[in-house]
RNA sequence: CGGAACAUAGCGCAGCCUGGUAGCGCAUCUGCUUUGGGAGCAGAGGGUCGGGGGUUCGAAUCCCUCUGUUCCGACCA
C-alpha cells in the first residue's frame, strides 16, 4: 500500500474520552473512530488487524474440524421465548419490533438460532458430532460501555456451537476447542492463560475462559507460580490452612470501642493486625418455597472471616442454608436478632447459625465485635468463647495462598477475557427440543458445547500488552503492515524513488503487507518516523539520498528500544528484510 | 442502577466566576521557502458555544429543563 493512496488518520493528541492505552492508541493510530457510545467504525488501518485475527481464528477452527456458517444478526423473539431467555436476559438484550409489531432482538449470542437450525437439519446420531461456527457482529446493550472496542456494545465475535450424541463426544470436542484456542492465542503472539471459570447465566457445567494478561484487565486471575493451574478469583478455592490453630494464650476481655466499626478502625484502635480481627457478616438464610409462600422471614446466618480477607459472594450463596442470590441482612433485622448494630457483631454468644471461613477457623486470641454497640472483645478463642459451627470456604483467594492443585502458591494478575468455552449440556437442546434418533431408533436430546472469541477485543488486548511511549508494538502476526519503507528526498532523487519502488514490489511479490511512505515533501521525515512508530509497524526501512550517496539504506526493528538503526548496503536490504519477516 | 463531572471549529483546550464584537494550539486550504525526528514565513476557510425554555436592553457566560458523553461505585459490619 502506498501511503499517498491510503487513509493515514493519525492524531497527535488523543480524544479526552479515551482512558485506557489501547483505546487511546487505536484512536491516535487511526484504527477506529467512535460513532456513538460503544459503537465504532473500523478505519482501513484498523480493519487490517481485525482481518488478521479473523484469518487465524478461521484457519484454526477449520483445522479443528469446525464448519463455518453465517446466521442473521436479527433474531425472532419467539425463539428466545422458547428458550426462556426472552424473560431472563436483562437490558443487555436489545429488543426491537418490526413493522408488523412482532418482537425481534439484535443477537448478543446465537444459541437459540443454531439450536433451531440443528433441530431442523440434524436427524440422526450418525450426523454427529458437528461443530458450526461463524464470525459475526454481536450487540449487547452494556450498561456502561467503556475502554473503546474492549467493552463496546457492538463487537465482532467468533462463536461456535457443537452438537453431540453423548458426553464423551462433547468432552472430546471441548478438548479440541481448548487446544484450538491455545493454538490461536499462541499464533497471535499473546501472553494468555486458560482459566477455570464460572459458567454464569449461560448455564452448563465445564467452562474455561481464555485471558490475555494485562494490567488494564477487568477480571482478577489467580494462577499458580509453578503449575498450569489458573482460575478466576471468583472461583479459585482457598484451601484449608495446613497449620493447626494455636492454643489460646489470652483471656477474653471487653474493650470499649466507641465509633470503631470497620476492620481498619478496629485493628488500628486495638493496635492489632487485621489478621487478628475477625469480621462477622450477617446474611439471610434460605427459605423453602413453602416458607416463601407463607411470607416467612428468613433466618439470619453469620459469616465469619479474617479481617484481611474478602467475602466471596459466589461461594457463600452456593452454600446450603444461605439465600441465593446472597442477601445481606437489613440493619433493623440485625438489631432485632442480635441486639446491636452492624459494626459490633462477633461470633461469641451468637444466637444464630455461624459459618466460619477456613482461615478464620485457625485464628487464636482474636478480636471481634461483642454484640454490644461500641464494644469489642479481645483474646477470644474458638471453642472456649465461641461456637465454631460449620467451617466452609467463603473468601476470595489472595496472593501467596497455596495453589489448590498443591503445586506452588498463587499469583493474581488482571486479565482481559478474550475467549470462553463451555459445555452447555442440554440446556438449549432440551428447551428447543433438538433431538436425533440414536442407534436404537429412539429420540435423544443432543448435548451442546459453545465456544466464543471476542475478535475485536483481541485487537485491543494485543495493544494493551504491546506498546511503548511512542505507540503500538504489533506482534508480527497482527501488524496491519509488516514493513514500512520511508522515502526521504523523493522529490529530489530519482534513485530514492526507484530503490524504494523496487524493494516495495519485491516484498509485495512475496505476499507481505508493505507500506511505502511516499507522501510528498509536505510531509516531513519526522512525521513519517513518528507515524510509523505510532502505527507500530515491526520493521522499517529508510531510503534517503544522503544514505544512497554511500550506497546505504537503513533498517530498524520497532521493538528495539534503542534509537540506533542498522545501515546496510542497499543491495542487501531485500534479503535482510526477508530474513527478518521469515520468523 | 447510585454518585460526580463535562458539553465552545475535525482534535485538544481557554473564555463563564464578575453578561457587552467567540479565541488559542494542532489539523485543513493557498503562496513562497524548507527536507533525517511531529518544518518556517505570509495569508485564508471553518462555530446556530449540545437542544429547548427563562431572566435581561443584551446570554457561550446567570436560572430551569431535556439530551449526549465521560468518570467513580455497585464488598460491608
Amino acid at each position: 500500500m502506498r501511503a499517498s493512496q491510503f487513509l493515514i488518520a493519525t492524531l497527535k493528541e488523543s480524544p479526552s474520552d479515551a482512558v485506557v492505552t489501547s483505546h487511546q492508541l487505536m484512536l491516535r493510530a487511526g484504527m477506529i473512530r467512535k460513532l456513538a457510545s460503544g459503537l465504532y467504525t473500523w478505519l482501513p488501518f484498523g480493519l487490517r488487524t481485525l482481518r488478521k485475527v479473523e484469518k487465524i481464528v478461521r484457519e484454526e477452527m477449520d483445522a479443528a474440524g469446525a464448519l463455518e456458517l453465517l446466521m442473521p444478526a436479527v433474531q425472532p423473539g419467539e425463539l428466545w421465548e422458547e428458550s426462556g431467555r426472552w424473560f431472563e436476559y436483562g437490558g443487555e438484550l436489545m429488543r426491537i419490533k418490526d413493522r408488523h409489531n412482532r418482537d425481534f432482538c439484535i443477537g448478543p449470542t446465537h444459541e437459540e438460532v443454531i439450536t433451531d437450525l440443528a433441530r431442523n437439519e440434524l436427524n440422526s446420531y450418525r450426523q454427529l458430532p458437528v461443530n458450526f461456527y461463524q464470525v459475526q457482529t454481536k450487540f449487547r446493550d452494556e450498561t456502561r460501555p467503556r475502554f473503546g472496542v474492549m467493552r463496546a456494545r457492538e463487537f465482532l465475535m467468533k462463536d461456535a456451537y457443537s452438537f453431540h450424541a453423548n458426553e464423551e463426544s462433547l468432552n472430546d470436542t471441548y478438548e479440541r476447542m481448548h487446544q484450538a484456542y491455545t493454538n490461536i492465542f499462541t499464533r497471535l503472539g499473546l501472553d494468555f492463560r486458560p482459566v477455570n471459570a464460572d459458567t454464569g447465566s449461560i448455564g452448563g457445567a465445564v467452562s474455561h475462559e481464555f485471558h490475555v494478561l494485562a494490567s488494564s484487565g477487568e477480571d482478577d486471575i489467580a494462577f499458580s507460580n509453578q503449575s498450569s493451574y489458573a482460575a478466576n478469583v471468583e472461583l479459585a478455592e482457598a484451601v484449608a490452612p495446613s497449620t493447626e490453630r494455636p492454643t489460646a494464650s489470652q483471656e477474653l476481655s471487653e474493650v470499649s470501642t466507641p465509633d470503631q466499626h470497620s476492620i481498619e478502625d478496629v485493628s488500628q484502635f486495638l493496635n492489632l493486625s487485621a489478621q487478628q480481627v475477625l469480621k462477622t457478616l450477617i446474611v439471610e438464610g434460605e427459605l423453602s418455597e413453602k416458607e416463601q409462600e407463607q411470607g416467612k422471614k428468613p433466618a439470619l446466618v453469620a459469616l465469619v472471616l479474617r479481617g484481611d480477607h474478602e467475602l466471596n459472594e459466589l461461594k457463600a450463596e452456593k452454600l446450603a442454608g444461605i439465600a441465593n442470590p446472597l442477601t445481606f441482612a437489613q440493619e433493623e433485622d440485625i438489631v432485632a436478632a442480635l441486639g446491636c448494630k452492624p459494626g459490633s457483631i462477633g461470633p461469641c454468644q451468637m444466637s444464630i447459625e455461624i459459618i466460619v471461613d477456613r482461615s478464620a477457623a485457625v485464628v487464636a486470641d482474636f478480636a471481634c465485635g461483642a454484640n454490644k454497640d461500641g464494644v469489642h472483645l479481645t483474646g477470644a478463642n474458638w471453642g472456649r468463647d465461641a461456637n465454631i459451627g460449620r467451617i466452609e470456604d467463603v473468601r476470595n483467594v489472595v496472593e501467596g495462598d497455596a495453589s489448590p492443585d498443591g503445586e506452588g502458591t498463587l499469583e493474581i494478575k488482571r486479565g482481559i477475557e478474550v475467549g470462553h468455552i463451555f459445555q452447555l449440556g442440554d440446556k438449549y437442546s432440551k428447551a428447543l427440543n433438538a433431538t436425533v434418533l440414536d442407534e436404537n431408533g429412539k429420540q435423544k436430546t443432543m448435548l451442546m458445547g459453545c465456544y466464543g472469541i471476542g475478535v475485536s477485543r483481541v485487537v485491543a488486548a494485543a495493544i494493551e500488552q504491546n506498546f511503548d511511549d511512542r505507540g503500538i508494538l504489533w506482534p508480527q502476526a497482527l501488524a496491519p503492515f509488516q514493513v514500512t519503507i520511508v522515502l526521504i528526498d523523493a522529490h529530489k532523487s530519482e534513485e530514492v524513488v526507484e530503490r524504494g519502488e523496487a524493494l516495495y514490489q519485491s516484498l509485495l511479490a512475496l505476499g507481505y503487507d508493505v507500506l511505502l511512505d511516499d507522501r510528498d515533501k509536505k510531509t516531513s521525515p519526522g512525521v513519517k518516523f513518528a507515524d510509523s512508530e505510532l502505527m507500530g509497524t515491526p520493521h522499517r526501512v529508510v531510503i534517503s539520498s544522503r544514505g544512497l550517496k554511500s550506497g546505504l539504506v537503513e533498517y530498524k526493528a520497532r521493538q528495539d528500544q534503542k534509537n540506533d538503526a542498522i545501515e546496510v548496503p542497499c543491495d542487501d536490504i531485500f534479503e535482510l528484510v526477508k530474513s527478518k519477516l521469515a520468523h
Side-chain angles (χ1 to χ4, degrees), chain A residues 175-196:
Chain A
E175 283 313 314
R176 284 177 80 160
M177 283 296 106
H178 193 289
Q179 186 57 51
Y181 275 38
T182 302
N183 296 346
I184 288 166
F185 296 117
T186 303
R187 277 183 69 186
L188 291 171
L190 301 174
D191 182 16
F192 71 97
R193 299 283 159 133
V195 309
N196 294 315

Side-chain angles (χ1 to χ4, degrees), chain A residues 1-3 5-8 29-30 44-46 48-49 52 473-485 504 508 512-517 531-532 535-540 558 581:
Chain A
M1 181 56 67
R2 291 166 202 279
Q5 311 294 311
F6 196 63
L7 179 66
I8 294 184
F45 181 66
R48 287 178 157 255
T49 292
K52 291 195 172 189
L473 286 154
W474 287 115
Q476 186 81 28
L478 292 177
F481 295 105
Q482 295 159 293
V483 189
T484 298
I485 304 169
Y504 175 59
L508 280 186
Y512 292 117
D513 294 311
V514 190
L515 182 69
L516 179 68
D517 198 341
D531 277 350
S532 83
M535 291 161 74
T537 312
H539 309 282
R540 182 172 78 198
R558 177 70 177 89
L581 286 168

